[in-house]
Amino acid sequence: MVTELARLSKFRMPWSRLVVTSYVRSRDDASPYARALAEGRATAIANQLIRSGIEPRRILARGVVISGPLVVDPLDHPDRYS
């Protein structure tokens, strides 16, 4: 999937920028382990995009630590998407 995304983005809009964001759920928002895990995941995906041919200046890797679920469906169990 990363290779396909890189192929589509490489020539379609060469001026565009991509932000790779990795979310990690943790009870402690300041957890150094959770922060390192989130940033490591985002960096790994960004590196794969670079290896697939996207210029490094176009990519920003960002790790985010959250304390609650990322998606909440009010009609479903609240922990389903955690």
Side-chain angles (χ1 to χ4, degrees), residues 8-40:
L8 289 172
S9 299
K10 190 172 181 179
F11 300 108
R12 183 179 289 173
M13 293 181 282
W15 46 265
S16 66
R17 303 293 185 255
L18 300 170
V19 177
V20 178
T21 306
S22 172
Y23 294 92
V24 172
R25 184 175 175 190
S26 174
R27 289 186 179 132
D28 179 15
D29 291 341
S31 169
Y33 176 74
R35 174 78 49 204
L37 183 63
E39 290 175 0

Side-chain angles (χ1 to χ4, degrees), residues 3-79:
T3 307
E4 182 68 21
L5 179 63
R7 191 170 352 135
L8 289 172
S9 299
K10 190 172 181 179
F11 300 108
R12 183 179 289 173
M13 293 181 282
W15 46 265
S16 66
R17 303 293 185 255
L18 300 170
V19 177
V20 178
T21 306
S22 172
Y23 294 92
V24 172
R25 184 175 175 190
S26 174
R27 289 186 179 132
D28 179 15
D29 291 341
S31 169
Y33 176 74
R35 174 78 49 204
L37 183 63
E39 290 175 0
R41 287 178 181 171
T43 301
I45 295 169
N47 288 338
Q48 182 63 34
L49 287 167
I50 292 167
R51 283 192 295 274
S52 296
I54 295 186
E55 297 174 40
R57 67 177 178 82
R58 294 179 56 196
I59 299 173
L60 172 66
R62 182 182 306 161
V64 178
V65 180
I66 59 173
S67 60
L70 185 59
V71 177
V72 177
D73 183 356
L75 302 176
D76 202 358
H77 193 272
D79 289 330

